[in-house]
């Protein structure tokens, strides 16, 4: 009898000490069902109730200004939260994690937000086509694209300017086109960044699609199975992603052009805000706040959401440990 050995494939990472699937599930849980997160020991130092009320305010406001029901808005926001880092599943980024623990090594993760948005673009497309979820998905895809250190301060600063008069009508004043990234509008930045990343080799290959679909299937575990999908949906997304990899530059440019032509793109910064807050809360409880933002984020951005200045676990360098 011939025995075939099974080679265990490494678990995709989002940081050196945190696997990608767990992180995606954690962030989506904080967004979609914070009550479930409150039951977990790892969040004992997080003010989950306050976080939930803050997210509810944004969900209700987005529902008012976009005209979509609250339940659909929260579902879309949860999907965005789950997909925000899925671009890191690409082999080009996973190879970077081989540098973890090595001195004087810098992980190059440029552009993964673009590819996370690319996956989200086809996920929402599949949900709409198969009549699983009907909603204007543009803000929820743009929000993933905006989850980026380069524009983080601009989004947070803009939000806090209105924090004392937070009403649905005030959100109309937050127009995405006013944010500048290195002197470029969001539209200009998205187009130039996509071209740059592709030229530098940071783009999806056909072999990456299987790993993306494998991660995507875990979305059904969020909040006790709040989102029910089927084989047709996964086949749809897999086919769309696979087709794009054959001419990724054209596919990415077409996606950016379509997204930027929709008026509701200006609400993407609120989706980015929710993703950023919950992402950093999950990184904080695991002790993986970056040196660049560690003190600033703890003291300013989500100070009101934590009970102590100390994370639950030993702090580590997000990019090099």
């Amino acid at each position: 009898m011939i025995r075939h050995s099974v080679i265990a494939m490494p678990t995709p990472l989002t940081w050196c000490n945190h696997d990608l699937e767990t992180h995606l599930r954690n962030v989506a849980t904080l967004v979609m069902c914070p009550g479930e997160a409150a039951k977990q020991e790892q969040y004992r130092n997080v003010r989950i109730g306050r976080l939930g009320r803050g997210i509810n305010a944004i969900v209700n406001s987005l529902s008012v200004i976009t005209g979509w029901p609250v339940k659909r808005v929260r579902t879309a926001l949860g999907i965005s939260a789950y997909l925000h880092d899925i671009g890191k599943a690409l082999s080009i980024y996973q190879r970077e994690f081989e540098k973890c623990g090595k001195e004087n090594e810098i992980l190059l993760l440029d552009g993964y937000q673009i590819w996370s948005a690319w996956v989200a673009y086809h996920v929402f497309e599949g949900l709409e086509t198969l009549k699983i979820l009907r909603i204007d998905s543009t803000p929820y895809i743009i929000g993933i694209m905006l989850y980026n250190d380069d524009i983080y301060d601009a989004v947070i600063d803009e939000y806090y300017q209105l924090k004392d008069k937070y009403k649905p009508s005030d959100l109309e004043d937050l127009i995405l086109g006013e944010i500048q990234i290195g002197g470029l509008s969001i539209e200009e930045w998205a187009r130039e960044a996509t071209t740059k990343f592709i030229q530098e080799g940071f783009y999806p290959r056909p072999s990456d699609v299987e790993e993306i679909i494998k991660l995507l299937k875990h979305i059904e575990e969020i909040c006790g199975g709040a989102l029910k999908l089927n084989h047709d949906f996964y086949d749809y997304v897999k086919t769309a992603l696979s087709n794009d990899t054959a001419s990724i530059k054209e596919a990415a440019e077409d996606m950016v052009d379509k997204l930027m032509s929709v008026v509701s793109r200006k609400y993407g910064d609120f989706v980015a805000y929710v993703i950023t807050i919950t992402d950093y809360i999950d990184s904080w409880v695991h002790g993986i706040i970056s040196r660049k933002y560690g003190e600033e984020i703890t003291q300013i951005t989500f100070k009101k959401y934590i009970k102590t200045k100390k994370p639950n676990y030993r702090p580590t360098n997000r990019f090099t440990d």
Side-chain angles (χ1 to χ4, degrees):
M1 179 178 179
I2 299 176
R3 294 183 179 275
H4 297 280
S5 59
V6 178
I7 300 175
M9 298 301 292
T11 301
L13 298 176
T14 187
W15 311 308
C16 289
N17 298 330
H18 200 11
D19 76 88
L20 180 55
E21 189 272 319
T22 297
H23 175 61
L24 298 179
R25 178 160 29 86
N26 287 349
V27 174
T29 299
L30 286 169
V31 172
M32 285 190 73
C33 49
E36 290 298 313
K39 301 174 184 177
Q40 301 179 28
E41 176 64 16
Q42 63 182 341
Y43 295 117
R44 66 181 182 273
N45 288 325
V46 177
R47 300 183 188 280
I48 295 294
R50 183 175 293 179
L51 174 67
R53 289 190 294 275
I55 293 174
N56 284 342
I58 291 177
V59 167
N60 291 334
S61 297
L62 281 172
S63 175
V64 171
I65 62 179
T66 62
W68 292 98
V70 167
K71 185 176 180 179
R72 295 191 198 182
V73 170
R74 182 173 290 279
T75 298
L77 193 58
I79 291 170
S80 293
Y82 186 82
L83 299 176
H84 80 281
D85 267 0
I86 202 167
K88 290 182 183 177
L90 273 57
S91 55
I92 188 69
Y93 298 115
Q94 288 301 306
R95 284 196 292 271
E96 287 294 307
F97 289 109
E98 295 173 7
K99 299 175 181 177
C100 291
K102 298 179 181 178
E103 292 186 9
N104 302 317
E105 291 282 3
I106 298 175
L107 273 65
L108 301 177
L109 303 176
D110 296 345
Y112 73 86
Q113 298 94 342
I114 295 289
W115 304 120
S116 295
W118 168 67
V119 174
Y121 180 79
H122 287 301
V123 165
F124 279 107
E125 186 180 61
L127 293 171
E128 170 80 20
T129 300
L130 299 176
K131 297 180 173 56
I132 299 172
L133 175 67
R134 182 170 174 262
I135 195 170
D136 176 6
S137 61
T138 301
Y140 307 97
I141 301 170
I142 292 288
I144 294 174
M145 196 178 293
L146 289 179
Y147 165 67
N148 181 301
D149 287 346
D150 291 338
I151 65 154
Y152 173 81
D153 289 335
V155 172
I156 296 301
D157 288 347
E158 193 176 35
Y159 176 81
Y160 272 96
Q161 286 174 10
L162 290 184
K163 70 181 180 67
D164 294 327
K165 51 175 183 176
Y166 192 71
K167 301 175 184 177
S169 58
D170 295 326
L171 299 188
E172 295 285 359
D173 298 330
L174 295 181
I175 299 175
L176 186 57
E178 295 177 355
I179 295 178
Q180 294 286 307
I181 307 174
L184 300 176
S185 68
I186 280 296
E187 291 89 338
E188 293 168 333
W189 171 83
R191 292 188 178 96
E192 291 195 13
T194 301
T195 300
K196 174 178 177 288
F197 297 141
I198 291 174
Q199 289 175 342
E200 295 177 353
F202 292 95
Y203 61 87
R205 273 68 173 180
S207 58
D208 293 322
V209 174
E210 200 66 48
E211 188 62 55
I212 290 171
I213 296 299
K214 187 188 302 183
L215 283 168
L216 181 59
K217 289 182 178 180
H218 288 286
I219 198 171
E220 294 189 62
E221 300 168 13
I222 307 303
C223 303
L227 187 63
K228 299 295 185 183
L229 302 172
N230 53 44
H231 291 298
D232 289 343
F233 167 76
Y234 295 115
D235 287 344
Y236 182 100
V237 176
K238 183 178 181 179
T239 299
L241 296 177
S242 297
N243 290 342
D244 277 5
T245 58
S247 53
I248 191 61
K249 185 175 186 297
E250 291 78 6
E253 289 175 346
D254 181 63
M255 175 191 75
V256 171
D257 286 342
K258 288 180 178 177
L259 291 173
M260 295 306 170
S261 68
V262 181
V263 174
S264 63
R265 74 189 187 283
K266 64 185 180 180
Y267 305 121
D269 48 358
F270 287 98
V271 176
Y273 174 78
V274 172
I275 291 174
T276 301
I277 291 296
T278 50
D279 171 83
Y280 274 96
I281 285 176
D282 189 56
S283 70
W284 182 79
V285 301
H286 287 89
I288 315 175
I289 287 291
S290 69
R291 289 176 181 174
K292 180 176 180 182
Y293 286 125
E295 288 302 316
E296 177 185 349
I297 286 195
T298 301
Q299 295 300 320
I300 300 174
T301 306
F302 61 70
K303 180 180 179 181
K304 62 183 178 181
Y305 298 127
I306 59 176
K307 301 175 184 177
T308 175
K309 293 182 179 180
K310 295 182 180 180
N312 298 343
Y313 305 105
R314 178 182 64 84
T316 59
N317 185 312
R318 180 175 178 181
F319 298 104
T320 59
D321 285 0

